[in-house]
Amino acid sequence: MRVLTVSSFDIHGGAAKAAYRLHEGLQKFGVESKMVVQKKSSKDSSVFEFSNRESALYDKSFLEAYSKKTQTLFSTSAINHQRLIEYINNSNADIVHLHWIANGFISIENLLEIKKPLVWTLHDMWAFTGGCHYSETCHKYFLECDSCEVLKSYSSKDLSSINFQRKQDVYANLNNLNIIGLSHWISSCAQQSALLRKKNIVTLPNPIDTTVYKMLDKRQARDELGFSSNKKIVLYGAMNATEDPRKGYRFLEEASKKLDCDKYLFLIFGTVGNAQKPNTVYCGNIQDSAYLNKLYSCADVMVVPSVQENLSNAIMESLSSGTPVVAFDIGGNSDMVEHKKNGYLAKPFDANDLICGIEWVTKNINILSLSGNSRDKTMKNFSHEIVIPKYIQFYKDILRKNNIHGQTLGLSVDLKMTNMLVESLAVNCFATTNFSIKFNSFFNQIINLRSKAIIYGHGTVGKTIQALIPDSIIAFVDQKSTLISQDIQKGEVYSPANIPNMSFDKIIISVLGREEEIECYLTQTLHVNKEKIIRLSL
């Protein structure tokens, strides 16, 4: 399978970083992934720059007539980029995956010229509005945009109205478009929008490399960064940390005035403008993921007071680092933060409740449990092993729908999954090619499974299989579990001795290296019909 990712940037900004992480994750799973961008900041040889900076300047010129416009980003994307379109259509890509494509990178009308299946990830609301990237308090996109609140316009024929009509005309003839919402909130907004409600919309989160953002020793992290261990550390950060109103710095600022400065220290990363507050350390813009991981790890709590947010990289990175998060209960925050389990969801825009959340986390006697829950949430919902197979399956479903068959549908993916499983389980005694051939047969049985199944083994392999075919999997059994019950809950892990209480069509053995032993146990001790067993025969 070959995927071409299209994004205005590769690693500059939150949306770009999320797109690049998916690009890297796909490559790790054997997908031939390339990325084309307007401005390249990385040194990655699989990222190609198609600069059209004059278009970015021209795109901004449309806003000169709206001098009272709010600070919310507004894009028009009216300038065609024919060189990019020719490259896309002449490429060998099976799927073209659009991400954040504003800043004049490509016009809306250009989308009609792309002759390949399109996937578009919604990093913000721009795809279904008249031009604003976040709608603030406006819901006109449900019907039709005009008299734009972001533009501070009172005209029914303003720029938002023109852009809305342009998108409506294009989308009506764009039959190869598939939409991914990163959060349940953004998917719901798209489904309610006049522009996208008739399109195929699914919810798939960004993946995160949990080997990069990992739990570190807090005391050691503080010592290495030079921070005192006597105070509770509150971390906050964003690309434009203090200047972007959407990021809600004003709420943190209000909270900081009411918290005891002898007990709390505030760390802020990102662009801060002229903001200089006492009892606050400004860490600047951070591009080094290892350093950022260390910063998350040294903090007691991460605060994300955004007033509108899709699927925050900062929240996901913090949780993956084992640091609980306090955020307003808005947007996609609840997809990641579980109230009083791995953080605190404050009442929207209530600075006092934000303070309650900070104190609830920092004074919690079960802080180690909160940290463990934070890491666990990420591992089970956003890690490469969980998320990337879902993207691959989504691509495959699109290609099948478009009647595109052949080797591009997955042999390289299967080979990479084989290598990943070999490495993770240290099964290095088998020749890679032979193992790959055998695994392809095993994989094809799984991916085409339409009946109800249970998985024997709750490790990396089992979780990956569950992520590939979640609708078919009833539950897990694992020798580490002692749970016995006739009331079978989806996704629960039971003792193998509970198998007689379970109704299933197939049982998938996901513990490589012990297949024969487990099959013998299932057939001879538990009297499971051998025809029901799916296993990798080495």
Side-chain angles (χ1 to χ4, degrees), residues 159-434:
L159 189 57
S160 73
S161 174
I162 294 169
N163 288 340
F164 191 91
Q165 187 60 56
R166 289 172 57 222
K167 290 179 179 178
Q168 196 165 50
D169 293 343
V170 169
Y171 294 171
N173 296 291
L174 201 60
N175 299 319
N176 61 338
L177 179 61
N178 303 272
I179 301 295
I180 291 177
L182 293 177
S183 66
H184 289 91
W185 168 75
I186 199 77
S187 293
S188 176
C189 290
Q191 288 160 353
Q192 294 177 79
S193 73
L195 290 175
L196 292 182
R197 64 168 60 112
K198 294 182 180 179
K199 298 300 182 182
N200 176 33
I201 301 173
V202 301
T203 303
L204 283 176
N206 297 319
I208 187 169
D209 190 339
T210 54
T211 66
V212 173
Y213 290 93
K214 54 193 175 183
M215 293 182 73
L216 303 175
D217 181 82
K218 190 176 299 295
R219 185 181 297 276
Q220 183 177 341
R222 289 190 178 191
D223 288 344
E224 291 179 8
L225 295 177
F227 296 127
S228 168
S229 59
N230 298 325
K231 290 186 176 183
K232 298 294 185 182
I233 292 181
V234 179
L235 181 64
Y236 163 77
M239 186 173 172
N240 293 307
T242 62
E243 304 300 305
D244 185 350
R246 185 174 63 84
K247 293 300 180 179
Y249 173 68
R250 61 191 182 276
F251 297 106
L252 180 68
E253 192 174 27
E254 184 178 344
S256 68
K257 294 175 182 177
K258 298 179 181 180
L259 289 167
D260 189 341
C261 63
D262 292 328
K263 296 180 179 178
Y264 289 93
L265 174 67
F266 290 83
L267 304 183
I268 297 179
F269 64 86
T271 302
V272 297
N274 296 319
Q276 295 295 324
K277 302 294 181 183
N279 202 42
T280 302
V281 176
Y282 298 93
C283 304
N285 288 305
I286 301 171
Q287 299 298 328
D288 185 346
S289 296
Y291 184 89
L292 191 55
N293 175 220
K294 200 173 292 183
L295 202 59
Y296 285 121
S297 297
C298 83
D300 293 283
V301 62
M302 174 75 185
V303 179
V304 181
S306 304
V307 297
Q308 278 191 304
E309 196 70 73
N310 186 5
L311 197 75
S312 164
N313 285 342
I315 291 179
M316 193 180 295
E317 290 163 359
S318 181
L319 294 178
S320 188
S321 303
T323 300
V325 174
V326 174
F328 288 131
D329 190 6
I330 54 93
N333 290 349
S334 61
D335 285 13
M336 296 177 286
V337 181
E338 296 182 71
H339 188 55
K340 293 190 175 182
K341 184 174 181 181
N342 63 355
Y344 189 99
L345 290 172
K347 298 171 185 174
F349 324 130
D350 185 338
N352 289 326
D353 201 27
L354 203 67
I355 293 171
C356 288
I358 293 171
E359 292 182 327
W360 184 85
V361 171
T362 56
K363 296 179 181 180
N364 200 304
I365 60 173
N366 295 315
I367 188 63
L368 292 179
S369 178
L370 286 179
S371 295
N373 291 341
S374 299
R375 175 69 175 177
D376 194 49
K377 179 70 174 181
T378 313
M379 294 296 292
K380 289 183 177 179
N381 295 275
F382 307 110
S383 64
H384 279 176
E385 291 79 10
I386 296 299
V387 175
I388 298 298
K390 293 181 181 180
Y391 274 91
I392 292 171
Q393 187 57 46
F394 184 58
Y395 295 149
K396 287 185 177 184
D397 290 343
I398 292 170
L399 294 177
R400 288 193 181 97
K401 185 174 68 175
N402 285 271
N403 296 316
I404 300 174
H405 299 288
Q407 291 186 343
T408 58
L409 285 186
L411 292 181
S412 61
V413 178
D414 301 347
L415 177 58
K416 185 59 184 180
M417 287 190 69
T418 297
N419 293 337
M420 181 192 74
L421 298 176
V422 169
E423 291 169 7
S424 65
L425 293 162
V427 187
N428 294 316
C429 57
F430 304 104
T432 304
T433 303
N434 292 336

Side-chain angles (χ1 to χ4, degrees), residues 8-9 38 55-56 58-63 69 71-79 100-108 124-134 148 150-151 159-164 166-167:
S8 296
F9 310 103
Q38 183 184 47
S55 295
Y58 193 81
D59 196 67
K60 293 175 183 176
S61 71
F62 286 105
L63 300 174
K69 174 190 169 293
Q71 289 181 262
T72 295
L73 188 63
F74 189 103
S75 301
T76 300
S77 294
I79 311 302
W100 198 89
I101 54 171
N103 199 50
F105 187 32
I106 185 172
S107 74
I108 284 295
D124 55 30
M125 305 173 76
W126 183 78
F128 53 85
T129 70
C132 64
H133 286 255
Y134 281 94
C148 179
V150 169
L151 295 177
L159 189 57
S160 73
S161 174
I162 294 169
N163 288 340
F164 191 91
R166 289 172 57 222
K167 290 179 179 178

Side-chain angles (χ1 to χ4, degrees), residues 133-147:
H133 286 255
Y134 281 94
S135 67
E136 297 183 354
T137 59
C138 176
H139 293 95
K140 287 186 177 180
Y141 65 87
F142 285 178
L143 297 174
E144 184 176 5
C145 289
D146 60 18
S147 305

